[in-house]
Amino acid sequence: MEFLIEYGYVGVFIASFLAATVLPFSSEIVLTGVLLGGASYWPCMIAAGTGNFLGGMTCYWLGMCGKTEWIKKYLRLDINKLERVRMRIKNKGSWIGFFVFLPGIGDFIAVALGFMRANVWIVAVSMLVGKVLRYWVWMELVYKVQDIVK
């Protein structure tokens, strides 16, 4: 994680992208390190939001391809759990993409929305809003804690 922090905004983008797809780690650690290192607010927000959004849309795309072997290989998702999530969100609509930011289940939601061929534009907008709100809340918490510690 340290080398990603050293890369600054690019490190935040990479960590955010990977956290939304393949690697089970928290991009918030890298984001916090970069923020505490003196990075600017908006470039961090753009890097984190864009990276995580593109990672989520990658999951959506893999689901849309419908190849379970790719989902198992590249995302390491349990196909049975994916099917359960798909059944739960079946009639909820494309706006459920907002909740893709949730840890533990977000990847399953994104892939399931792709499987169901949910409206890509609604999924993209709702996913982007959810992911940006997540990072906004996190960054505000980092600044609040930093103020308290000072």
Side-chain angles (χ1 to χ4, degrees):
M1 298 253 191
E2 279 185 38
F3 85 94
L4 288 174
I5 293 171
E6 291 174 10
Y7 278 77
Y9 306 123
V10 173
V12 169
F13 176 87
I14 292 169
S16 298
F17 180 87
L18 293 176
T21 55
V22 181
L23 299 177
F25 73 93
S26 174
S27 59
E28 287 85 356
I29 294 170
V30 175
L31 177 59
T32 301
V34 172
L35 284 172
L36 294 178
S40 297
Y41 187 91
W42 286 109
C44 278
M45 175 64 80
I46 292 167
T50 304
N52 211 247
F53 167 73
L54 292 174
M57 289 306 291
T58 300
C59 290
Y60 174 89
W61 176 76
L62 284 171
M64 203 165 92
C65 290
K67 297 191 182 244
T68 55
E69 58 273 2
W70 287 6
I71 294 166
K72 286 172 84 172
K73 181 178 180 180
Y74 297 116
L75 298 176
R76 297 185 178 107
L77 297 180
D78 180 343
I79 299 304
N80 294 326
K81 186 174 180 181
L82 175 63
E83 182 60 26
R84 286 192 304 272
V85 170
R86 188 182 73 77
M87 293 308 291
R88 281 191 184 149
I89 67 172
K90 187 176 181 180
N91 297 319
K92 306 266 189 299
S94 302
W95 291 105
I96 199 79
F98 175 83
F99 298 101
V100 170
F101 74 89
L102 293 172
I105 194 166
D107 295 341
F108 291 99
I109 294 171
V111 173
L113 286 167
F115 257 3
M116 297 183 315
R117 306 289 195 275
N119 183 308
V120 68
W121 298 108
I122 296 173
V123 170
V125 168
S126 60
M127 186 185 301
L128 182 63
V129 168
K131 289 178 177 287
V132 167
L133 281 174
R134 166 193 178 186
Y135 285 115
W136 174 73
V137 168
W138 183 261
M139 289 172 65
E140 290 299 318
L141 285 172
V142 168
Y143 283 121
K144 297 277 188 232
V145 170
Q146 188 178 20
D147 288 343
I148 292 170
V149 172
K150 285 182 181 179

